[in-house]
Amino acid sequence: MGKNSKPSYSKGTVSVNGNTVASNYKKGNTVVSNYNMPETEKGIYDYAQNALLNSLPQVNVFSPETRNDINSQVEAYKNKSMQTIYDTYNPMLEDLKTDIASRFGNLNNSVFFDNLNSIENNRANAMSDLAQDVEAKRNDLFNDELSKRYNYLNLMNTLQNMINSNAINYMNMAQGNSSSGNSYNQANNTANANNTQSNINNILQAVALAAQFAKYM
Protein backbone atom coordinates (compact mmCIF):
# COMPACT_ATOMS: atom_id res chain seq x y z
CA MET A 1 0.00 0.00 0.00
CA GLY A 2 1.43 3.37 -0.98
CA LYS A 3 1.76 6.31 1.41
CA ASN A 4 -0.55 9.30 1.10
CA SER A 5 1.30 12.48 0.09
CA LYS A 6 1.48 15.27 2.68
CA PRO A 7 -0.52 18.37 1.63
CA SER A 8 1.66 21.36 0.72
CA TYR A 9 1.54 24.52 2.87
CA SER A 10 -0.82 27.03 1.28
CA LYS A 11 0.50 30.57 0.86
CA GLY A 12 -1.85 33.36 1.93
CA THR A 13 -1.81 36.90 0.56
CA VAL A 14 -3.81 40.10 0.91
CA SER A 15 -4.01 42.63 -1.94
CA VAL A 16 -5.21 46.22 -1.92
CA ASN A 17 -5.82 47.97 -5.22
CA GLY A 18 -3.95 45.20 -7.02
CA ASN A 19 -0.87 45.42 -4.76
CA THR A 20 0.10 42.64 -2.37
CA VAL A 21 0.29 44.24 1.07
CA ALA A 22 0.70 41.12 3.22
CA SER A 23 1.70 37.49 2.77
CA ASN A 24 2.02 34.33 4.80
CA TYR A 25 4.15 31.39 3.63
CA LYS A 26 6.41 28.57 4.75
CA LYS A 27 10.17 28.77 4.20
CA GLY A 28 11.89 25.58 5.24
CA ASN A 29 10.60 24.81 8.71
CA THR A 30 9.66 28.44 9.39
CA VAL A 31 6.27 30.02 8.80
CA VAL A 32 6.80 33.64 7.70
CA SER A 33 4.32 36.52 7.87
CA ASN A 34 5.29 39.65 5.98
CA TYR A 35 3.81 43.13 5.61
CA ASN A 36 4.80 45.21 2.60
CA MET A 37 4.63 48.74 3.99
CA PRO A 38 3.81 51.39 1.34
CA GLU A 39 6.45 54.09 0.91
CA THR A 40 4.18 56.86 2.21
CA GLU A 41 3.34 54.85 5.31
CA LYS A 42 7.00 53.94 5.77
CA GLY A 43 7.89 57.65 5.65
CA ILE A 44 5.41 58.40 8.46
CA TYR A 45 6.61 55.39 10.47
CA ASP A 46 10.28 56.34 10.15
CA TYR A 47 9.53 59.97 11.01
CA ALA A 48 7.63 58.95 14.15
CA GLN A 49 10.41 56.61 15.25
CA ASN A 50 13.11 59.23 14.69
CA ALA A 51 11.05 61.87 16.49
CA LEU A 52 10.66 59.61 19.52
CA LEU A 53 14.34 58.67 19.43
CA ASN A 54 15.53 62.30 19.26
CA SER A 55 12.94 63.92 21.53
CA LEU A 56 12.62 61.49 24.43
CA PRO A 57 16.10 62.14 25.95
CA GLN A 58 15.46 65.92 25.89
CA VAL A 59 11.77 66.01 26.75
CA ASN A 60 12.36 67.51 30.22
CA VAL A 61 15.42 69.55 29.29
CA PHE A 62 15.01 73.27 28.61
CA SER A 63 17.60 74.84 26.36
CA PRO A 64 18.96 78.34 27.11
CA GLU A 65 16.91 79.64 24.18
CA THR A 66 13.70 78.19 25.61
CA ARG A 67 14.44 79.55 29.08
CA ASN A 68 15.21 83.00 27.66
CA ASP A 69 11.96 82.97 25.70
CA ILE A 70 9.93 82.04 28.79
CA ASN A 71 11.74 84.61 30.92
CA SER A 72 11.02 87.29 28.32
CA GLN A 73 7.32 86.44 28.42
CA VAL A 74 7.36 86.56 32.24
CA GLU A 75 9.13 89.92 32.21
CA ALA A 76 6.60 91.33 29.76
CA TYR A 77 3.75 90.05 31.95
CA LYS A 78 5.33 91.63 35.07
CA ASN A 79 5.94 95.00 33.38
CA LYS A 80 2.39 95.14 32.07
CA SER A 81 0.96 94.28 35.48
CA MET A 82 3.16 96.86 37.24
CA GLN A 83 2.01 99.49 34.77
CA THR A 84 -1.59 98.56 35.57
CA ILE A 85 -0.90 99.01 39.30
CA TYR A 86 0.81 102.35 38.65
CA ASP A 87 -2.07 103.54 36.46
CA THR A 88 -4.56 102.51 39.14
CA TYR A 89 -3.00 103.98 42.32
CA ASN A 90 -1.03 107.02 41.15
CA PRO A 91 -4.14 108.89 39.98
CA MET A 92 -5.76 108.05 43.32
CA LEU A 93 -2.82 109.65 45.16
CA GLU A 94 -2.93 112.74 42.98
CA ASP A 95 -6.67 113.08 43.45
CA LEU A 96 -6.22 112.71 47.21
CA LYS A 97 -3.54 115.43 47.34
CA THR A 98 -5.67 117.78 45.28
CA ASP A 99 -8.74 117.16 47.40
CA ILE A 100 -6.97 117.55 50.78
CA ALA A 101 -5.03 120.65 49.65
CA SER A 102 -8.21 122.34 48.46
CA ARG A 103 -10.04 121.52 51.67
CA PHE A 104 -7.34 122.11 54.27
CA GLY A 105 -4.76 124.23 52.46
CA ASN A 106 -1.96 121.73 53.19
CA LEU A 107 -1.25 117.99 53.41
CA ASN A 108 -0.06 117.95 57.00
CA ASN A 109 -3.18 116.54 58.57
CA SER A 110 -4.63 113.21 59.75
CA VAL A 111 -7.25 113.01 57.02
CA PHE A 112 -4.57 113.00 54.35
CA PHE A 113 -2.33 110.51 56.12
CA ASP A 114 -5.21 108.12 56.89
CA ASN A 115 -6.28 108.04 53.24
CA LEU A 116 -2.67 107.88 52.09
CA ASN A 117 -2.00 104.84 54.29
CA SER A 118 -5.10 103.11 52.92
CA ILE A 119 -4.01 103.66 49.31
CA GLU A 120 -0.42 102.60 50.01
CA ASN A 121 -1.56 99.45 51.80
CA ASN A 122 -3.74 98.50 48.86
CA ARG A 123 -0.87 99.17 46.45
CA ALA A 124 1.50 97.09 48.58
CA ASN A 125 -0.98 94.21 48.58
CA ALA A 126 -1.30 94.49 44.81
CA MET A 127 2.48 94.33 44.44
CA SER A 128 2.65 91.30 46.75
CA ASP A 129 -0.05 89.56 44.73
CA LEU A 130 1.83 90.42 41.55
CA ALA A 131 4.99 88.72 42.85
CA GLN A 132 2.99 85.50 43.33
CA ASP A 133 1.27 85.93 39.98
CA VAL A 134 4.63 86.30 38.24
CA GLU A 135 5.89 83.01 39.67
CA ALA A 136 2.60 81.32 38.77
CA LYS A 137 2.93 82.70 35.24
CA ARG A 138 6.47 81.33 34.99
CA ASN A 139 5.31 77.88 36.13
CA ASP A 140 2.38 77.95 33.71
CA LEU A 141 4.68 78.74 30.78
CA PHE A 142 7.07 75.90 31.66
CA ASN A 143 4.14 73.51 32.12
CA ASP A 144 2.64 74.59 28.80
CA GLU A 145 5.95 73.89 27.09
CA LEU A 146 6.13 70.43 28.68
CA SER A 147 2.52 69.75 27.72
CA LYS A 148 3.25 70.60 24.08
CA ARG A 149 6.25 68.26 24.08
CA TYR A 150 4.35 65.37 25.64
CA ASN A 151 1.40 65.88 23.29
CA TYR A 152 3.82 65.74 20.36
CA LEU A 153 5.42 62.53 21.67
CA ASN A 154 1.97 61.01 22.24
CA LEU A 155 1.03 61.86 18.66
CA MET A 156 4.20 60.22 17.33
CA ASN A 157 3.60 57.15 19.49
CA THR A 158 -0.03 56.95 18.34
CA LEU A 159 1.00 57.12 14.68
CA GLN A 160 3.56 54.36 15.19
CA ASN A 161 1.06 52.16 17.06
CA MET A 162 -1.60 52.70 14.38
CA ILE A 163 0.80 51.54 11.67
CA ASN A 164 1.90 48.55 13.76
CA SER A 165 -1.75 47.63 14.34
CA ASN A 166 -2.48 48.03 10.63
CA ALA A 167 0.43 45.73 9.77
CA ILE A 168 -0.70 43.10 12.29
CA ASN A 169 -4.27 43.18 10.96
CA TYR A 170 -3.12 42.63 7.39
CA MET A 171 -0.76 39.81 8.41
CA ASN A 172 -3.58 38.18 10.37
CA MET A 173 -5.71 38.35 7.24
CA ALA A 174 -2.92 36.70 5.25
CA GLN A 175 -2.60 33.99 7.92
CA GLY A 176 -6.36 33.48 7.77
CA ASN A 177 -6.21 33.02 3.99
CA SER A 178 -3.32 30.60 4.41
CA SER A 179 -5.25 28.63 7.03
CA SER A 180 -8.26 28.43 4.71
CA GLY A 181 -6.00 27.08 1.95
CA ASN A 182 -4.40 24.57 4.30
CA SER A 183 -7.81 23.39 5.50
CA TYR A 184 -8.90 22.93 1.90
CA ASN A 185 -5.71 21.02 1.04
CA GLN A 186 -6.09 18.81 4.11
CA ALA A 187 -9.72 18.06 3.32
CA ASN A 188 -8.88 17.35 -0.30
CA ASN A 189 -5.97 15.12 0.69
CA THR A 190 -8.20 13.24 3.15
CA ALA A 191 -10.87 12.78 0.50
CA ASN A 192 -8.28 11.47 -1.97
CA ALA A 193 -6.89 9.13 0.66
CA ASN A 194 -10.38 7.84 1.41
CA ASN A 195 -11.05 7.30 -2.29
CA THR A 196 -7.75 5.46 -2.67
CA GLN A 197 -8.51 3.24 0.33
CA SER A 198 -12.00 2.61 -1.01
CA ASN A 199 -10.56 1.60 -4.37
CA ILE A 200 -8.08 -0.71 -2.67
CA ASN A 201 -10.88 -2.27 -0.62
CA ASN A 202 -12.94 -2.80 -3.77
CA ILE A 203 -10.01 -4.45 -5.49
CA LEU A 204 -9.37 -6.70 -2.49
CA GLN A 205 -13.02 -7.67 -2.41
CA ALA A 206 -12.97 -8.40 -6.12
CA VAL A 207 -9.84 -10.54 -5.71
CA ALA A 208 -11.46 -12.41 -2.82
CA LEU A 209 -14.59 -13.07 -4.85
CA ALA A 210 -12.52 -14.21 -7.83
CA ALA A 211 -10.65 -16.60 -5.58
CA GLN A 212 -13.92 -18.07 -4.29
CA PHE A 213 -15.27 -18.54 -7.81
CA ALA A 214 -12.02 -20.18 -8.83
CA LYS A 215 -12.67 -22.99 -6.34
CA TYR A 216 -15.73 -24.05 -8.33
CA MET A 217 -14.20 -23.88 -11.75
Side-chain angles (χ1 to χ4, degrees):
M1 184 185 300
K3 290 184 178 181
N4 296 325
S5 61
K6 184 179 180 180
S8 61
Y9 189 89
S10 180
K11 179 179 179 181
T13 62
V14 177
S15 296
V16 175
N17 198 28
N19 298 316
T20 300
V21 295
S23 59
N24 185 78
Y25 57 92
K26 190 170 184 291
K27 186 176 182 180
N29 293 324
T30 303
V31 175
V32 180
S33 293
N34 182 59
Y35 176 63
N36 301 318
M37 190 177 292
E39 284 301 317
T40 52
E41 191 175 60
K42 184 178 184 302
I44 296 173
Y45 190 83
D46 290 343
Y47 178 86
Q49 278 197 319
N50 289 329
L52 291 171
L53 176 66
N54 296 326
S55 299
L56 275 174
Q58 302 296 323
V59 65
N60 293 320
V61 178
F62 295 96
S63 67
E65 292 79 10
T66 300
R67 289 184 178 276
N68 289 338
D69 179 60
I70 289 176
N71 288 334
S72 295
Q73 294 182 62
V74 171
E75 190 66 20
Y77 173 80
K78 182 180 71 172
N79 291 338
K80 182 178 180 181
S81 299
M82 289 181 66
Q83 185 64 47
T84 299
I85 293 173
Y86 179 87
D87 292 341
T88 300
Y89 290 99
N90 272 38
M92 294 173 65
L93 288 172
E94 294 301 321
D95 290 344
L96 175 63
K97 291 178 182 179
T98 301
D99 178 58
I100 297 300
S102 65
R103 291 166 59 192
F104 300 99
N106 62 73
L107 301 178
N108 189 21
N109 58 76
S110 61
V111 176
F112 172 72
F113 287 112
D114 287 344
N115 283 277
L116 177 64
N117 288 336
S118 176
I119 293 173
E120 290 296 348
N121 286 337
N122 289 335
R123 179 158 61 178
N125 290 334
M127 292 297 293
S128 178
D129 291 341
L130 174 59
Q132 297 180 34
D133 291 344
V134 166
E135 287 307 308
K137 180 67 173 179
R138 189 188 309 276
N139 290 334
D140 287 344
L141 290 172
F142 275 109
N143 288 333
D144 286 345
E145 176 65 23
L146 282 175
S147 179
K148 291 175 184 177
R149 295 181 182 189
Y150 278 100
N151 287 339
Y152 175 74
L153 291 178
N154 285 333
L155 173 61
M156 295 300 102
N157 188 54
T158 298
L159 286 173
Q160 184 174 254
N161 289 339
M162 287 175 60
I163 293 174
N164 285 334
S165 178
N166 190 50
I168 290 171
N169 288 337
Y170 275 121
M171 286 189 289
N172 285 339
M173 292 171 64
Q175 291 174 4
N177 291 340
S178 182
S179 295
S180 296
N182 289 330
S183 297
Y184 173 81
N185 289 342
Q186 182 63 45
N188 189 56
N189 189 69
T190 300
N192 290 337
N194 291 338
N195 288 336
T196 300
Q197 187 61 49
S198 178
N199 291 335
I200 292 174
N201 291 339
N202 291 336
I203 292 173
L204 292 175
Q205 289 177 0
V207 170
L209 288 174
Q212 289 182 355
F213 283 123
K215 292 180 181 179
Y216 302 101
M217 296 292 291

